Amino acid sequence: MKRIISKAVCLLCAGALALTAAGCSKSAASSSTSASSETSVYGSASDYDYQNFAYSDGLDENGYWSGIRALDYVTLPEDYASIPLKKADIEPTEEDVQSQIDSLLSQNTTTQQITDRAAADGDTVNIDYVGTVDGVAFTGGTATGYDLTLGSGSFIDGFEDQIIGHNVGDIFDVTVTFPDGYGDSTDAEGNAVVLSNKKAVFSVTLNYISEEILPELTDAWVEENFSSTDGVHTVEDLRAEYQKMLYQNNLNTAVMDYLLANSTFKDLPKEVTDYQVNQCLNYYYTMAQHYGYDLDSFLQAAAGYNSADDLLDAMSDSITEYAREALLYQAVAEAMDIAPTQEQIDTYSAYTETYGANYCTMVALMDAVSEALTTGAQVK
């Protein structure tokens, strides 16, 4: 239930990317699907200093874009302070509320180890494995305590199928053939080990089968988990809390959608679009650095793009939309003379070291603008 609602300007790059173990991962092949081979309207990634991007770049102490008057670029609709909305479009349904509760229960599952039966399709198994090609162990082909969902298709074709039917404690061989184009590995001495089209033998130990247990939604469970942190004591309270949260989220979204659809924009300031591009590229660059890749190689392996330029081309429309949204918040703040309260700024004080004070002030300003717009909205 604890939540931090952040209005980061460039949401398009938010998300988690994970790389599976290189030794067995189906995705380690060198080929990749390109989103586009054309040049983005925002040029090439090489045009930007995204490696040195900082979130407070180009923002002043008021959370405004430095040197930019947003109302010079945005003409707001006349009814921006009292936006007309239909209540039926905002009210969350019972299904929406239940979906949130189901997600909450899923986040609080516990894991039980099953040891008295054979592995079946769909099970999550914990395994150790050591892989060899022509009798030589290779980098990335060994793991201990690895959780693998059988039938997920995470590993090379045939690997998961050969685990099905084995009992906990069994030690057995899994034989697979690496696909054509699979990247080379190395042995313990650093010598190249060719994997493409090679037969590999993995010695696998099945440690246990994991089974997730969903908690039972009861007043006692709600009281135990959320009474002290959120003031929620019963299942009825929990549903009411989600109803309120979803309504507010839907209202915030509807207000911004209305402004985007009914405002008029001149050419966007380059400083704002450059910010969006740099933030997006820096996100993936940081992930690439974490996994030891250069940016293009990471995008090929993890995101399905041939290069950072392809990424920019695919996201150009989103970059434009988020730049417009960023200007809209400031334009409304200018038009209504809105500034965040100290309490709103303090909400993000824990993040100033990571994102900078000016960025956190901008997010607080967005909160203040959202509060003014949703309060003034005419919901009927």
Side-chain angles (χ1 to χ4, degrees), residues 157-336:
D157 291 344
F159 189 100
E160 296 165 29
D161 294 341
Q162 294 176 61
I163 296 176
I164 294 172
H166 283 282
N167 292 297
V168 172
D170 284 355
I171 301 175
F172 52 94
D173 286 344
V174 168
T175 302
V176 295
T177 300
F178 282 101
D180 183 40
Y182 202 98
D184 293 348
S185 183
T186 56
D187 62 16
E189 285 73 41
N191 300 311
V193 176
V194 176
L195 301 182
S196 177
N197 288 321
K198 287 285 190 176
K199 180 182 292 185
V201 178
F202 290 86
S203 176
V204 177
T205 301
L206 178 53
N207 298 319
Y208 56 83
I209 302 166
S210 295
E211 186 174 277
E212 290 189 343
I213 308 298
L214 280 174
E216 183 180 358
L217 183 62
T218 63
D219 288 347
W221 182 79
V222 174
E223 175 71 25
E224 178 183 356
N225 288 276
F226 307 115
S227 60
S228 61
T229 56
D230 298 281
V232 177
H233 302 276
T234 67
V235 174
E236 184 177 354
D237 290 343
L238 183 65
R239 292 187 182 278
E241 181 72 11
Y242 273 122
Q243 177 81 19
K244 177 182 176 182
M245 181 189 73
L246 288 171
Y247 180 90
Q248 190 62 46
N249 288 347
N250 291 347
L251 181 58
N252 289 340
T253 300
V255 162
M256 186 50 60
D257 286 348
Y258 184 90
L259 285 180
L260 284 168
N262 292 279
S263 298
T264 303
F265 294 87
K266 297 180 181 178
D267 289 341
L268 299 173
K270 189 173 185 298
E271 296 88 341
V272 180
T273 56
D274 281 0
Y275 183 99
Q276 306 302 322
V277 172
N278 279 315
Q279 184 180 7
C280 182
L281 290 173
N282 179 265
Y283 171 81
Y284 286 103
Y285 172 74
T286 302
M287 293 289 287
Q289 292 287 294
H290 176 76
Y291 286 108
Y293 283 74
D294 61 63
L295 179 57
D296 284 347
S297 296
F298 178 75
L299 290 171
Q300 291 167 12
Y305 299 100
N306 276 341
S307 67
D309 288 353
D310 281 349
L311 172 71
L312 279 187
D313 184 65
M315 292 192 168
S316 59
D317 288 345
S318 295
I319 289 169
T320 298
E321 182 169 350
Y322 284 108
R324 287 177 174 174
E325 185 172 336
L327 280 174
L328 273 175
Y329 278 109
Q330 183 174 319
V332 173
E334 292 170 359
M336 299 182 72

